[in-house]
Amino acid sequence: MADPSFLGRGWAFPPAFDNGTGEARLVQAEEDIAESLRILMETRPGERIMHPNYGCRLHDLVFEPMNSETEAEIEVAISRAILFFEPRIKLGAVTVDVRAALEGHLAVTLNYTVVETNERHNMVFPFYLTEGTLVSQKPVPAA
């Protein structure tokens, strides 16, 4: 099997260190892309030093009424962020599951293709509309 590191390699997020060697835990290939997508969606534009445009407008939509217009705005915000900041993938579709919106939870599903390998992937990004509700939960690869 070929070395998948050509898809990228970087620190795991949140940063973690090996107790024995003290080295930072690294991720590569598809795992690096998935973490990059999660970081992109969790970052507000203006938060990243030296990259004021980096991020996704999801947090701007937290207090908007949950209707088809807001769903479309979420899809556009994510699609635009990926277009500009994650060139390793080609986004196929963004779908927003609003069935749990009254409980303050949206499930955003991304279907994408890794450009270099032409492999299809998907991930579910949990977006919480209420503060402090399972904010540490990581996105789960869809089955």
Side-chain angles (χ1 to χ4, degrees):
M1 182 173 165
D3 179 15
S5 64
F6 69 91
L7 292 175
R9 186 175 187 178
W11 281 36
F13 192 82
F17 298 91
D18 182 281
N19 289 335
T21 64
E23 294 179 356
R25 187 173 84 76
L26 301 176
V27 293
Q28 66 181 17
E30 289 85 1
E31 187 178 6
D32 186 45
I33 292 171
E35 286 198 3
S36 174
L37 288 169
R38 182 173 58 90
I39 291 167
L40 176 60
M41 287 188 284
E42 291 177 352
T43 303
R44 294 177 174 109
E47 269 187 339
R48 195 163 198 180
I49 296 182
M50 305 294 286
H51 295 283
N53 296 322
Y54 180 86
C56 186
R57 293 188 46 248
L58 279 179
H59 292 87
D60 295 345
L61 304 169
V62 167
F63 296 107
E64 295 299 317
M66 188 42 59
N67 54 31
S68 59
E69 184 177 327
T70 304
E71 278 184 63
E73 286 185 55
I74 290 169
E75 292 171 11
V76 168
I78 291 171
S79 298
R80 186 174 176 86
I82 291 172
L83 175 68
F84 287 110
F85 301 110
E86 188 46 82
R88 296 176 291 180
I89 68 168
K90 180 180 179 193
L91 188 60
V94 177
T95 55
V96 181
D97 182 353
V98 298
R99 289 179 287 188
L102 292 177
E103 290 82 38
H105 177 260
L106 300 177
V108 179
T109 303
L110 305 177
N111 293 308
Y112 61 91
T113 303
V114 176
V115 174
E116 289 292 323
T117 62
N118 203 33
E119 290 181 12
R120 292 182 181 168
H121 294 271
N122 54 31
M123 72 181 283
V124 177
F125 178 76
F127 184 66
Y128 298 96
L129 303 172
T130 54
E131 292 184 36
T133 307
L134 296 174
V135 292
S136 64
Q137 185 178 2
K138 287 186 174 185
V140 181

